[in-house]
Amino acid sequence: MQIPGAGPVARLLLAGGLSLVVVIVAGVQLGAVDLTWSQVWAGLTGNSSQHVQRVVFELRLPRTLAGALIGIHFALSGWLLQLLSRNPLAEAGILGISAGASLVAVAAFIIGDWIVSSANPYNNASFALQYLPLFAMAGGLVTALSVYFLGMRHGHLSPVKMTLTGAVIAGMLHALTTGALAFWGHAHTELVAQWLAGSLYGAEWQHLRALLPWTLIGLAGVGLLVRPLEVMQLDDQHARTLGLGLNRWRAFALLIATLLAASAVGVVGPVGFIGLLIPHISRRLAGANLPAQLVLCVLLGAVLAVLADLLGRTLFTPYEVPVGVVSAVLGVPFFLYLLSRQP
């Protein structure tokens, strides 16, 4: 028996997979010094000069793979938040989740610097990487719960009120983060400033090791949520009639969405608008097919993040533009377009 629409969906997923392979190869090949495909292959297999092998295996490959992972995190987080709230404007950056994660992560970094004091603050980077995702998730979850409950109106979630509440809270948290950095001192600010811009500069294999466990946990959680999310698209009364525990599954969806976004923030900093753009593109391509939307979010989120980082480090060589800045340039016009269509 043939599933209606399976052919077009399969072709979309195949195209998404091929696009991801292409941008990953381009991410390793292109940079301040472009490499040929043969040099990339030789660097990966250890049959090249020490310089080429270092560029390929120690600098560009971990950075490109880290970009793919953070794209997956932010895209899936946005997808869950939009389905959960039935709000097309929902996204971790817009709702303040990334700002809450950033504030607590910066506070943890400052406290960690006081506890593990060092004449060179960069010596504490490995210490920070171990714990920042956990602290970031705590800050993101508190912010997410605050925005969710403050966004209620007459017992129902108001998309516009939720968006405005998130924007106000995000602004306040950004101000507190800036104040914390000023209090910390100029000598240390450089260490965190680039991270706050959402940068993959200096991403190494240890960043992947810090992020990958949360990627696997997040993917497992999203997989468990697919069926409940399909039922949650009905009105609440019908969903309860079908035996779905709405409050329990909504809380779980919010937890997974926050875990995905905040863990990425804890490792590479806040990167906005990927979680806004990709879910909309996935819905446009896959229709109401939630499993297909999920897979497209994974593929296209990774593609967009790697592509944004590639543009940021090649357009203005030898200078680099953080991936968070490039994604914002792409996402802000789209956000304004969506906002203009809200009643």
Side-chain angles (χ1 to χ4, degrees):
M1 179 179 178
Q2 188 175 10
I3 301 174
V9 169
R11 287 193 292 271
L12 284 172
L13 299 180
L14 178 61
L18 291 175
S19 299
L20 179 56
V21 172
V22 169
V23 296
I24 287 177
V25 171
V28 177
Q29 184 181 5
L30 304 178
V33 177
D34 294 342
L35 302 176
T36 64
W37 285 33
S38 59
Q39 286 178 310
V40 171
W41 179 252
L44 291 173
T45 55
N47 297 320
S48 65
S49 67
Q50 186 175 0
H51 171 71
V52 171
Q53 187 170 354
R54 181 175 183 273
V55 168
V56 171
F57 197 75
E58 296 182 22
L59 299 178
R60 293 186 184 173
L61 184 59
R63 175 173 180 158
T64 301
L65 294 178
L69 287 188
I70 64 129
I72 292 170
H73 278 234
F74 286 115
L76 286 180
S77 174
W79 183 68
L80 285 175
L81 290 170
Q82 289 176 19
L83 288 174
L84 176 65
S85 64
R86 299 174 186 173
N87 178 4
L89 302 176
E91 188 257 348
I94 295 169
L95 296 183
I97 295 173
S98 293
S102 297
L103 174 61
V104 176
V106 168
F109 205 106
I110 295 173
I111 295 171
D113 181 61
W114 287 341
I115 296 173
V116 187
S117 59
S118 172
N120 181 3
Y122 288 88
N123 291 339
N124 298 335
S126 297
F127 169 80
L129 257 184
Q130 299 175 31
Y131 301 104
L132 277 183
L134 291 172
F135 288 115
M137 278 185 279
L141 186 58
V142 171
T143 307
L145 290 172
S146 301
V147 171
Y148 185 85
F149 287 112
L150 290 173
M152 301 291 284
R153 186 176 183 180
H154 306 305
H156 299 283
L157 195 63
S158 168
V160 174
K161 186 178 180 182
M162 184 179 183
T163 303
L164 294 175
T165 301
V168 170
I169 290 178
M172 179 188 69
L173 295 175
H174 279 306
L176 291 174
T177 302
T178 303
L181 286 175
F183 173 75
W184 194 14
H186 178 72
H188 300 79
T189 303
E190 181 186 353
L191 182 63
V192 184
Q194 195 161 27
W195 174 81
L196 283 173
S199 176
L200 286 164
Y201 178 79
E204 300 174 347
W205 292 108
Q206 62 175 338
H207 292 81
L208 284 170
R209 288 192 292 270
L211 191 57
L212 187 57
W214 304 111
T215 307
L216 297 177
I217 293 172
L219 287 173
V222 173
L224 292 174
L225 280 164
V226 171
R227 177 56 183 163
L229 285 170
E230 289 178 331
V231 179
M232 275 192 271
Q233 300 315 295
L234 306 172
D235 61 73
D236 290 1
Q237 185 176 355
H238 284 143
R240 289 192 178 93
T241 302
L242 294 173
L244 184 71
L246 281 176
N247 292 335
R248 181 174 69 250
W249 283 109
R250 281 173 176 162
F252 184 61
L254 186 63
L255 174 65
I256 295 298
T258 303
L259 178 151
L260 284 164
S263 59
V265 170
V267 174
V268 300
V271 178
F273 295 101
I274 291 177
L276 179 71
L277 284 167
I278 296 303
H280 281 275
I281 295 172
S282 299
R283 279 195 298 273
R284 181 65 62 90
L285 294 175
N289 188 335
L290 288 191
Q293 287 183 27
L294 166 60
V295 178
L296 281 173
C297 275
V298 169
L299 295 173
L300 298 181
V303 167
L304 180 58
V306 174
L307 184 60
D309 181 55
L310 182 60
L311 291 174
R313 60 188 169 92
T314 56
L315 286 179
F316 303 102
T317 304
Y319 305 103
E320 289 195 9
V321 180
V323 61
V325 175
V326 178
S327 65
V329 170
L330 296 174
V332 167
F334 188 71
F335 171 71
L336 294 175
Y337 165 74
L338 290 175
L339 190 61
S340 69
R341 293 172 60 89
Q342 294 301 301

